mmCIF file of all heavy atoms in Angstrom:
data_model
loop_
_atom_site.group_PDB
_atom_site.id
_atom_site.type_symbol
_atom_site.label_atom_id
_atom_site.label_comp_id
_atom_site.label_asym_id
_atom_site.label_seq_id
_atom_site.Cartn_x
_atom_site.Cartn_y
_atom_site.Cartn_z
ATOM 1 N N TYR N 1 60.778 148.647 96.847
ATOM 2 C CA TYR N 1 61.545 149.192 97.970
ATOM 3 C C TYR N 1 62.942 149.601 97.489
ATOM 4 O O TYR N 1 63.740 148.742 97.128
ATOM 5 C CB TYR N 1 61.637 148.165 99.092
ATOM 6 C CG TYR N 1 60.294 147.858 99.714
ATOM 7 C CD1 TYR N 1 59.558 146.743 99.306
ATOM 8 C CD2 TYR N 1 59.752 148.690 100.678
ATOM 9 C CE1 TYR N 1 58.317 146.473 99.861
ATOM 10 C CE2 TYR N 1 58.511 148.429 101.248
ATOM 11 C CZ TYR N 1 57.799 147.319 100.826
ATOM 12 O OH TYR N 1 56.563 147.055 101.377
ATOM 13 N N PRO N 2 63.242 150.897 97.470
ATOM 14 C CA PRO N 2 64.515 151.362 96.902
ATOM 15 C C PRO N 2 65.746 150.899 97.666
ATOM 16 O O PRO N 2 66.831 150.839 97.092
ATOM 17 C CB PRO N 2 64.384 152.892 96.938
ATOM 18 C CG PRO N 2 63.336 153.181 97.952
ATOM 19 C CD PRO N 2 62.390 152.025 97.891
ATOM 20 N N MET N 3 65.589 150.563 98.944
ATOM 21 C CA MET N 3 66.741 150.103 99.723
ATOM 22 C C MET N 3 67.094 148.646 99.429
ATOM 23 O O MET N 3 68.142 148.160 99.844
ATOM 24 C CB MET N 3 66.467 150.265 101.221
ATOM 25 C CG MET N 3 66.319 151.717 101.679
ATOM 26 S SD MET N 3 67.845 152.652 101.469
ATOM 27 C CE MET N 3 68.871 151.882 102.743
ATOM 28 N N LEU N 4 66.210 147.974 98.696
ATOM 29 C CA LEU N 4 66.436 146.567 98.359
ATOM 30 C C LEU N 4 66.923 146.435 96.920
ATOM 31 O O LEU N 4 66.665 147.286 96.072
ATOM 32 C CB LEU N 4 65.146 145.762 98.534
ATOM 33 C CG LEU N 4 64.494 145.779 99.921
ATOM 34 C CD1 LEU N 4 63.239 144.912 99.918
ATOM 35 C CD2 LEU N 4 65.471 145.315 100.994
ATOM 36 N N SER N 5 67.604 145.355 96.638
ATOM 37 C CA SER N 5 68.043 145.045 95.272
ATOM 38 C C SER N 5 66.876 144.474 94.475
ATOM 39 O O SER N 5 65.806 144.161 95.032
ATOM 40 C CB SER N 5 69.179 144.018 95.307
ATOM 41 O OG SER N 5 68.687 142.781 95.823
ATOM 42 N N ALA N 6 67.067 144.320 93.172
ATOM 43 C CA ALA N 6 66.052 143.658 92.358
ATOM 44 C C ALA N 6 65.816 142.243 92.863
ATOM 45 O O ALA N 6 64.670 141.775 92.940
ATOM 46 C CB ALA N 6 66.492 143.639 90.892
ATOM 47 N N HIS N 7 66.873 141.546 93.223
ATOM 48 C CA HIS N 7 66.776 140.187 93.774
ATOM 49 C C HIS N 7 65.859 140.177 94.991
ATOM 50 O O HIS N 7 64.934 139.348 95.089
ATOM 51 C CB HIS N 7 68.178 139.693 94.147
ATOM 52 C CG HIS N 7 68.188 138.484 95.016
ATOM 53 N ND1 HIS N 7 68.033 137.207 94.525
ATOM 54 C CD2 HIS N 7 68.338 138.345 96.369
ATOM 55 C CE1 HIS N 7 68.089 136.340 95.508
ATOM 56 N NE2 HIS N 7 68.268 137.005 96.644
ATOM 57 N N GLU N 8 66.069 141.101 95.903
ATOM 58 C CA GLU N 8 65.288 141.125 97.143
ATOM 59 C C GLU N 8 63.848 141.574 96.885
ATOM 60 O O GLU N 8 62.896 141.013 97.452
ATOM 61 C CB GLU N 8 65.967 142.055 98.152
ATOM 62 C CG GLU N 8 67.308 141.512 98.645
ATOM 63 C CD GLU N 8 68.141 142.566 99.349
ATOM 64 O OE1 GLU N 8 68.067 143.761 98.955
ATOM 65 O OE2 GLU N 8 68.869 142.198 100.283
ATOM 66 N N ASN N 9 63.682 142.575 96.031
ATOM 67 C CA ASN N 9 62.331 143.033 95.707
ATOM 68 C C ASN N 9 61.510 141.932 95.047
ATOM 69 O O ASN N 9 60.350 141.698 95.418
ATOM 70 C CB ASN N 9 62.396 144.252 94.787
ATOM 71 C CG ASN N 9 62.429 145.568 95.534
ATOM 72 O OD1 ASN N 9 61.463 145.952 96.187
ATOM 73 N ND2 ASN N 9 63.565 146.260 95.465
ATOM 74 N N LEU N 10 62.088 141.266 94.072
ATOM 75 C CA LEU N 10 61.342 140.246 93.337
ATOM 76 C C LEU N 10 60.988 139.053 94.223
ATOM 77 O O LEU N 10 59.877 138.510 94.127
ATOM 78 C CB LEU N 10 62.139 139.801 92.112
ATOM 79 C CG LEU N 10 62.215 140.853 90.985
ATOM 80 C CD1 LEU N 10 63.266 140.477 89.950
ATOM 81 C CD2 LEU N 10 60.858 141.037 90.319
ATOM 82 N N HIS N 11 61.883 138.649 95.087
ATOM 83 C CA HIS N 11 61.565 137.553 95.997
ATOM 84 C C HIS N 11 60.495 137.970 97.002
ATOM 85 O O HIS N 11 59.593 137.183 97.341
ATOM 86 C CB HIS N 11 62.827 137.065 96.720
ATOM 87 C CG HIS N 11 63.609 136.069 95.927
ATOM 88 N ND1 HIS N 11 64.503 136.431 94.946
ATOM 89 C CD2 HIS N 11 63.621 134.704 95.952
ATOM 90 C CE1 HIS N 11 65.038 135.356 94.399
ATOM 91 N NE2 HIS N 11 64.519 134.294 94.994
ATOM 92 N N PHE N 12 60.583 139.214 97.479
ATOM 93 C CA PHE N 12 59.559 139.693 98.424
ATOM 94 C C PHE N 12 58.178 139.671 97.777
ATOM 95 O O PHE N 12 57.206 139.151 98.356
ATOM 96 C CB PHE N 12 59.891 141.110 98.893
ATOM 97 C CG PHE N 12 58.789 141.745 99.681
ATOM 98 C CD1 PHE N 12 58.625 141.454 101.028
ATOM 99 C CD2 PHE N 12 57.895 142.624 99.074
ATOM 100 C CE1 PHE N 12 57.587 142.028 101.758
ATOM 101 C CE2 PHE N 12 56.861 143.202 99.805
ATOM 102 C CZ PHE N 12 56.709 142.906 101.144
ATOM 103 N N TYR N 13 58.070 140.242 96.564
ATOM 104 C CA TYR N 13 56.772 140.317 95.923
ATOM 105 C C TYR N 13 56.284 138.951 95.438
ATOM 106 O O TYR N 13 55.068 138.693 95.443
ATOM 107 C CB TYR N 13 56.813 141.318 94.763
ATOM 108 C CG TYR N 13 56.718 142.748 95.228
ATOM 109 C CD1 TYR N 13 57.838 143.583 95.241
ATOM 110 C CD2 TYR N 13 55.513 143.280 95.671
ATOM 111 C CE1 TYR N 13 57.756 144.895 95.682
ATOM 112 C CE2 TYR N 13 55.417 144.594 96.104
ATOM 113 C CZ TYR N 13 56.545 145.394 96.117
ATOM 114 O OH TYR N 13 56.455 146.686 96.564
ATOM 115 N N ALA N 14 57.174 138.091 95.055
ATOM 116 C CA ALA N 14 56.770 136.735 94.663
ATOM 117 C C ALA N 14 56.079 136.033 95.818
ATOM 118 O O ALA N 14 55.055 135.361 95.645
ATOM 119 C CB ALA N 14 57.978 135.946 94.187
ATOM 120 N N ASN N 15 56.632 136.186 97.014
ATOM 121 C CA ASN N 15 56.010 135.591 98.202
ATOM 122 C C ASN N 15 54.722 136.315 98.574
ATOM 123 O O ASN N 15 53.733 135.685 98.961
ATOM 124 C CB ASN N 15 56.992 135.608 99.373
ATOM 125 C CG ASN N 15 58.067 134.546 99.249
ATOM 126 O OD1 ASN N 15 57.824 133.357 99.456
ATOM 127 N ND2 ASN N 15 59.282 134.961 98.888
ATOM 128 N N ALA N 16 54.733 137.647 98.430
ATOM 129 C CA ALA N 16 53.525 138.417 98.749
ATOM 130 C C ALA N 16 52.375 138.066 97.812
ATOM 131 O O ALA N 16 51.201 138.049 98.220
ATOM 132 C CB ALA N 16 53.822 139.914 98.669
ATOM 133 N N PHE N 17 52.688 137.765 96.557
ATOM 134 C CA PHE N 17 51.663 137.387 95.585
ATOM 135 C C PHE N 17 51.210 135.945 95.764
ATOM 136 O O PHE N 17 50.255 135.506 95.119
ATOM 137 C CB PHE N 17 52.187 137.560 94.155
ATOM 138 C CG PHE N 17 52.446 138.986 93.765
ATOM 139 C CD1 PHE N 17 53.241 139.279 92.666
ATOM 140 C CD2 PHE N 17 51.907 140.054 94.474
ATOM 141 C CE1 PHE N 17 53.489 140.595 92.282
ATOM 142 C CE2 PHE N 17 52.147 141.368 94.103
ATOM 143 C CZ PHE N 17 52.931 141.644 93.014
ATOM 144 N N GLY N 18 51.899 135.196 96.607
ATOM 145 C CA GLY N 18 51.522 133.811 96.849
ATOM 146 C C GLY N 18 51.951 132.844 95.770
ATOM 147 O O GLY N 18 51.296 131.806 95.565
ATOM 148 N N LEU N 19 53.046 133.138 95.072
ATOM 149 C CA LEU N 19 53.539 132.194 94.067
ATOM 150 C C LEU N 19 53.971 130.890 94.737
ATOM 151 O O LEU N 19 54.582 130.920 95.813
ATOM 152 C CB LEU N 19 54.734 132.788 93.304
ATOM 153 C CG LEU N 19 54.436 133.503 91.980
ATOM 154 C CD1 LEU N 19 53.607 134.752 92.230
ATOM 155 C CD2 LEU N 19 55.718 133.836 91.252
ATOM 156 N N PRO N 20 53.669 129.749 94.140
ATOM 157 C CA PRO N 20 54.149 128.478 94.697
ATOM 158 C C PRO N 20 55.673 128.487 94.798
ATOM 159 O O PRO N 20 56.357 128.961 93.885
ATOM 160 C CB PRO N 20 53.660 127.442 93.678
ATOM 161 C CG PRO N 20 52.520 128.094 92.974
ATOM 162 C CD PRO N 20 52.855 129.562 92.931
ATOM 163 N N LYS N 21 56.205 127.988 95.893
ATOM 164 C CA LYS N 21 57.646 128.053 96.128
ATOM 165 C C LYS N 21 58.443 127.402 95.016
ATOM 166 O O LYS N 21 59.537 127.855 94.664
ATOM 167 C CB LYS N 21 57.970 127.403 97.469
ATOM 168 C CG LYS N 21 57.481 128.211 98.666
ATOM 169 C CD LYS N 21 57.940 127.607 99.977
ATOM 170 C CE LYS N 21 57.491 128.470 101.157
ATOM 171 N NZ LYS N 21 57.930 127.897 102.458
ATOM 172 N N GLU N 22 57.899 126.328 94.435
ATOM 173 C CA GLU N 22 58.632 125.621 93.387
ATOM 174 C C GLU N 22 58.680 126.412 92.076
ATOM 175 O O GLU N 22 59.473 126.095 91.178
ATOM 176 C CB GLU N 22 58.022 124.242 93.129
ATOM 177 C CG GLU N 22 56.604 124.230 92.588
ATOM 178 C CD GLU N 22 55.537 124.302 93.684
ATOM 179 O OE1 GLU N 22 55.901 124.594 94.847
ATOM 180 O OE2 GLU N 22 54.363 124.078 93.357
ATOM 181 N N LYS N 23 57.851 127.466 91.944
ATOM 182 C CA LYS N 23 57.834 128.249 90.718
ATOM 183 C C LYS N 23 58.550 129.589 90.849
ATOM 184 O O LYS N 23 58.785 130.270 89.848
ATOM 185 C CB LYS N 23 56.375 128.510 90.285
ATOM 186 C CG LYS N 23 55.615 127.264 89.851
ATOM 187 C CD LYS N 23 54.278 127.620 89.260
ATOM 188 C CE LYS N 23 54.434 128.400 87.958
ATOM 189 N NZ LYS N 23 53.145 128.658 87.305
ATOM 190 N N ILE N 24 58.891 129.979 92.061
ATOM 191 C CA ILE N 24 59.437 131.315 92.290
ATOM 192 C C ILE N 24 60.730 131.544 91.505
ATOM 193 O O ILE N 24 60.886 132.553 90.807
ATOM 194 C CB ILE N 24 59.657 131.573 93.795
ATOM 195 C CG1 ILE N 24 58.308 131.763 94.492
ATOM 196 C CG2 ILE N 24 60.537 132.811 94.015
ATOM 197 C CD1 ILE N 24 58.410 131.977 95.989
ATOM 198 N N ALA N 25 61.651 130.609 91.602
ATOM 199 C CA ALA N 25 62.956 130.795 90.962
ATOM 200 C C ALA N 25 62.824 130.934 89.446
ATOM 201 O O ALA N 25 63.417 131.837 88.838
ATOM 202 C CB ALA N 25 63.883 129.637 91.310
ATOM 203 N N SER N 26 62.039 130.063 88.826
ATOM 204 C CA SER N 26 61.908 130.100 87.364
ATOM 205 C C SER N 26 61.152 131.346 86.897
ATOM 206 O O SER N 26 61.490 131.932 85.868
ATOM 207 C CB SER N 26 61.196 128.833 86.865
ATOM 208 O OG SER N 26 59.892 128.732 87.410
ATOM 209 N N GLN N 27 60.156 131.755 87.663
ATOM 210 C CA GLN N 27 59.393 132.933 87.255
ATOM 211 C C GLN N 27 60.215 134.212 87.419
ATOM 212 O O GLN N 27 60.160 135.104 86.572
ATOM 213 C CB GLN N 27 58.092 133.037 88.056
ATOM 214 C CG GLN N 27 57.156 134.137 87.585
ATOM 215 C CD GLN N 27 56.737 133.995 86.124
ATOM 216 O OE1 GLN N 27 56.839 132.913 85.537
ATOM 217 N NE2 GLN N 27 56.289 135.089 85.515
ATOM 218 N N ILE N 28 61.005 134.284 88.482
ATOM 219 C CA ILE N 28 61.875 135.446 88.654
ATOM 220 C C ILE N 28 62.925 135.488 87.548
ATOM 221 O O ILE N 28 63.240 136.549 87.002
ATOM 222 C CB ILE N 28 62.531 135.432 90.051
ATOM 223 C CG1 ILE N 28 61.497 135.787 91.112
ATOM 224 C CG2 ILE N 28 63.707 136.413 90.108
ATOM 225 C CD1 ILE N 28 62.015 135.776 92.529
ATOM 226 N N GLU N 29 63.441 134.342 87.185
ATOM 227 C CA GLU N 29 64.414 134.289 86.093
ATOM 228 C C GLU N 29 63.797 134.815 84.798
ATOM 229 O O GLU N 29 64.431 135.581 84.057
ATOM 230 C CB GLU N 29 64.902 132.857 85.895
ATOM 231 C CG GLU N 29 65.956 132.720 84.805
ATOM 232 C CD GLU N 29 66.422 131.281 84.618
ATOM 233 O OE1 GLU N 29 65.896 130.380 85.301
ATOM 234 O OE2 GLU N 29 67.316 131.059 83.778
ATOM 235 N N PHE N 30 62.548 134.426 84.526
ATOM 236 C CA PHE N 30 61.851 134.919 83.336
ATOM 237 C C PHE N 30 61.695 136.435 83.390
ATOM 238 O O PHE N 30 61.953 137.142 82.397
ATOM 239 C CB PHE N 30 60.470 134.258 83.224
ATOM 240 C CG PHE N 30 59.551 134.937 82.243
ATOM 241 C CD1 PHE N 30 59.704 134.744 80.880
ATOM 242 C CD2 PHE N 30 58.541 135.778 82.694
ATOM 243 C CE1 PHE N 30 58.863 135.385 79.970
ATOM 244 C CE2 PHE N 30 57.696 136.425 81.799
ATOM 245 C CZ PHE N 30 57.857 136.223 80.436
ATOM 246 N N CYS N 31 61.282 136.957 84.537
ATOM 247 C CA CYS N 31 61.061 138.404 84.682
ATOM 248 C C CYS N 31 62.358 139.188 84.504
ATOM 249 O O CYS N 31 62.379 140.248 83.870
ATOM 250 C CB CYS N 31 60.444 138.704 86.049
ATOM 251 S SG CYS N 31 58.789 138.034 86.283
ATOM 252 N N VAL N 32 63.437 138.670 85.068
ATOM 253 C CA VAL N 32 64.730 139.345 84.983
ATOM 254 C C VAL N 32 65.246 139.337 83.545
ATOM 255 O O VAL N 32 65.724 140.352 83.025
ATOM 256 C CB VAL N 32 65.746 138.686 85.932
ATOM 257 C CG1 VAL N 32 67.157 139.221 85.681
ATOM 258 C CG2 VAL N 32 65.347 138.940 87.386
ATOM 259 N N GLU N 33 65.136 138.205 82.863
ATOM 260 C CA GLU N 33 65.591 138.122 81.478
ATOM 261 C C GLU N 33 64.734 138.990 80.556
ATOM 262 O O GLU N 33 65.253 139.660 79.652
ATOM 263 C CB GLU N 33 65.557 136.667 81.012
ATOM 264 C CG GLU N 33 66.623 135.791 81.660
ATOM 265 C CD GLU N 33 66.593 134.364 81.143
ATOM 266 O OE1 GLU N 33 65.674 134.046 80.348
ATOM 267 O OE2 GLU N 33 67.468 133.570 81.544
ATOM 268 N N THR N 34 63.431 138.996 80.792
ATOM 269 C CA THR N 34 62.520 139.772 79.951
ATOM 270 C C THR N 34 62.810 141.264 80.042
ATOM 271 O O THR N 34 62.749 141.988 79.043
ATOM 272 C CB THR N 34 61.054 139.502 80.350
ATOM 273 O OG1 THR N 34 60.766 138.115 80.161
ATOM 274 C CG2 THR N 34 60.097 140.334 79.512
ATOM 275 N N THR N 35 63.157 141.727 81.238
ATOM 276 C CA THR N 35 63.376 143.157 81.452
ATOM 277 C C THR N 35 64.854 143.550 81.439
ATOM 278 O O THR N 35 65.189 144.721 81.649
ATOM 279 C CB THR N 35 62.745 143.596 82.784
ATOM 280 O OG1 THR N 35 63.265 142.791 83.853
ATOM 281 C CG2 THR N 35 61.229 143.440 82.735
ATOM 282 N N GLY N 36 65.740 142.591 81.197
ATOM 283 C CA GLY N 36 67.157 142.891 81.051
ATOM 284 C C GLY N 36 67.832 143.390 82.315
ATOM 285 O O GLY N 36 68.697 144.268 82.261
ATOM 286 N N LEU N 37 67.489 142.795 83.455
ATOM 287 C CA LEU N 37 68.032 143.245 84.740
ATOM 288 C C LEU N 37 69.196 142.392 85.250
ATOM 289 O O LEU N 37 69.671 142.604 86.371
ATOM 290 C CB LEU N 37 66.917 143.245 85.805
ATOM 291 C CG LEU N 37 65.834 144.308 85.661
ATOM 292 C CD1 LEU N 37 64.721 144.064 86.681
ATOM 293 C CD2 LEU N 37 66.413 145.705 85.835
ATOM 294 N N GLN N 38 69.670 141.446 84.453
ATOM 295 C CA GLN N 38 70.665 140.493 84.942
ATOM 296 C C GLN N 38 71.890 141.178 85.548
ATOM 297 O O GLN N 38 72.347 140.800 86.640
ATOM 298 C CB GLN N 38 71.132 139.570 83.796
ATOM 299 C CG GLN N 38 70.033 138.738 83.163
ATOM 300 C CD GLN N 38 69.463 139.393 81.922
ATOM 301 O OE1 GLN N 38 69.283 140.616 81.870
ATOM 302 N NE2 GLN N 38 69.158 138.584 80.911
ATOM 303 N N GLN N 39 72.420 142.164 84.872
ATOM 304 C CA GLN N 39 73.664 142.805 85.300
ATOM 305 C C GLN N 39 73.491 143.600 86.600
ATOM 306 O O GLN N 39 74.460 143.845 87.327
ATOM 307 C CB GLN N 39 74.154 143.732 84.184
ATOM 308 C CG GLN N 39 75.499 144.379 84.447
ATOM 309 C CD GLN N 39 75.942 145.280 83.292
ATOM 310 O OE1 GLN N 39 75.380 145.210 82.194
ATOM 311 N NE2 GLN N 39 76.938 146.112 83.536
ATOM 312 N N PHE N 40 72.244 143.960 86.906
ATOM 313 C CA PHE N 40 71.980 144.831 88.057
ATOM 314 C C PHE N 40 71.170 144.123 89.140
ATOM 315 O O PHE N 40 70.665 144.751 90.056
ATOM 316 C CB PHE N 40 71.211 146.076 87.582
ATOM 317 C CG PHE N 40 71.853 146.749 86.401
ATOM 318 C CD1 PHE N 40 71.465 146.432 85.110
ATOM 319 C CD2 PHE N 40 72.873 147.678 86.579
ATOM 320 C CE1 PHE N 40 72.050 147.032 84.018
ATOM 321 C CE2 PHE N 40 73.466 148.289 85.491
ATOM 322 C CZ PHE N 40 73.062 147.969 84.203
ATOM 323 N N TYR N 41 71.091 142.810 89.035
ATOM 324 C CA TYR N 41 70.177 142.023 89.853
ATOM 325 C C TYR N 41 70.442 142.182 91.348
ATOM 326 O O TYR N 41 69.511 142.246 92.155
ATOM 327 C CB TYR N 41 70.291 140.556 89.428
ATOM 328 C CG TYR N 41 69.314 139.617 90.076
ATOM 329 C CD1 TYR N 41 67.948 139.886 90.081
ATOM 330 C CD2 TYR N 41 69.752 138.433 90.660
ATOM 331 C CE1 TYR N 41 67.048 139.006 90.653
ATOM 332 C CE2 TYR N 41 68.862 137.550 91.234
ATOM 333 C CZ TYR N 41 67.520 137.843 91.227
ATOM 334 O OH TYR N 41 66.623 136.968 91.806
ATOM 335 N N TYR N 42 71.714 142.262 91.741
ATOM 336 C CA TYR N 42 72.051 142.305 93.160
ATOM 337 C C TYR N 42 72.400 143.714 93.636
ATOM 338 O O TYR N 42 72.809 143.894 94.784
ATOM 339 C CB TYR N 42 73.210 141.353 93.457
ATOM 340 C CG TYR N 42 72.834 139.894 93.276
ATOM 341 C CD1 TYR N 42 73.254 139.183 92.143
ATOM 342 C CD2 TYR N 42 72.052 139.239 94.210
ATOM 343 C CE1 TYR N 42 72.905 137.861 91.963
ATOM 344 C CE2 TYR N 42 71.695 137.904 94.034
ATOM 345 C CZ TYR N 42 72.125 137.222 92.915
ATOM 346 O OH TYR N 42 71.774 135.903 92.743
ATOM 347 N N LYS N 43 72.236 144.709 92.772
ATOM 348 C CA LYS N 43 72.539 146.075 93.180
ATOM 349 C C LYS N 43 71.306 146.732 93.795
ATOM 350 O O LYS N 43 70.172 146.468 93.376
ATOM 351 C CB LYS N 43 73.024 146.890 91.968
ATOM 352 C CG LYS N 43 74.373 146.413 91.440
ATOM 353 C CD LYS N 43 74.863 147.297 90.299
ATOM 354 C CE LYS N 43 76.234 146.833 89.806
ATOM 355 N NZ LYS N 43 76.741 147.677 88.698
ATOM 356 N N ARG N 44 71.526 147.597 94.770
ATOM 357 C CA ARG N 44 70.419 148.286 95.428
ATOM 358 C C ARG N 44 69.679 149.131 94.397
ATOM 359 O O ARG N 44 70.275 149.912 93.651
ATOM 360 C CB ARG N 44 70.968 149.146 96.561
ATOM 361 C CG ARG N 44 69.891 149.731 97.463
ATOM 362 C CD ARG N 44 70.490 150.461 98.644
ATOM 363 N NE ARG N 44 71.169 149.545 99.556
ATOM 364 C CZ ARG N 44 71.762 149.925 100.678
ATOM 365 N NH1 ARG N 44 71.791 151.221 101.004
ATOM 366 N NH2 ARG N 44 72.343 149.050 101.461
ATOM 367 N N SER N 45 68.352 149.020 94.375
ATOM 368 C CA SER N 45 67.570 149.627 93.294
ATOM 369 C C SER N 45 67.542 151.149 93.352
ATOM 370 O O SER N 45 67.242 151.796 92.348
ATOM 371 C CB SER N 45 66.133 149.082 93.309
ATOM 372 O OG SER N 45 65.528 149.268 94.565
ATOM 373 N N GLN N 46 67.867 151.751 94.490
ATOM 374 C CA GLN N 46 67.906 153.205 94.548
ATOM 375 C C GLN N 46 69.067 153.792 93.734
ATOM 376 O O GLN N 46 69.075 154.983 93.414
ATOM 377 C CB GLN N 46 67.997 153.681 95.995
ATOM 378 C CG GLN N 46 69.303 153.374 96.692
ATOM 379 C CD GLN N 46 69.324 153.905 98.120
ATOM 380 O OE1 GLN N 46 68.313 154.388 98.625
ATOM 381 N NE2 GLN N 46 70.462 153.812 98.776
ATOM 382 N N THR N 47 70.013 152.935 93.345
ATOM 383 C CA THR N 47 71.133 153.394 92.520
ATOM 384 C C THR N 47 70.828 153.284 91.026
ATOM 385 O O THR N 47 71.636 153.706 90.204
ATOM 386 C CB THR N 47 72.396 152.567 92.818
ATOM 387 O OG1 THR N 47 72.195 151.206 92.375
ATOM 388 C CG2 THR N 47 72.724 152.575 94.305
ATOM 389 N N TYR N 48 69.670 152.750 90.669
ATOM 390 C CA TYR N 48 69.327 152.515 89.271
ATOM 391 C C TYR N 48 69.064 153.832 88.537
ATOM 392 O O TYR N 48 68.605 154.817 89.124
ATOM 393 C CB TYR N 48 68.072 151.652 89.154
ATOM 394 C CG TYR N 48 68.227 150.200 89.526
ATOM 395 C CD1 TYR N 48 69.441 149.674 89.954
ATOM 396 C CD2 TYR N 48 67.144 149.330 89.447
ATOM 397 C CE1 TYR N 48 69.570 148.336 90.290
ATOM 398 C CE2 TYR N 48 67.253 147.989 89.767
ATOM 399 C CZ TYR N 48 68.476 147.499 90.197
ATOM 400 O OH TYR N 48 68.599 146.184 90.525
#
């Protein structure tokens, strides 16, 4: 969703995929670090 940030998109899809709540934070952290999105994590993705 381009109107959402990476933070919002990843949390939305993590819940949509049915990830256990206790694993969501660590798995999102892995995905963000792997793809180098840390600096842009809270920016709206349509600006990317």
Side-chain angles (χ1 to χ4, degrees):
Y1 294 97
M3 295 296 290
L4 302 181
S5 65
H7 166 81
E8 292 165 327
N9 270 293
L10 289 167
H11 276 83
F12 171 81
Y13 281 105
N15 284 285
F17 293 163
L19 266 65
K21 290 186 177 180
E22 64 274 12
K23 293 188 66 175
I24 288 178
S26 61
Q27 187 58 19
I28 287 179
E29 182 180 2
F30 166 77
C31 295
V32 170
E33 289 182 355
T34 299
T35 56
L37 290 173
Q38 300 95 321
Q39 185 179 345
F40 310 93
Y41 186 51
Y42 293 104
K43 293 184 178 180
R44 190 174 293 181
S45 55
Q46 68 179 7
T47 67
Y48 288 0

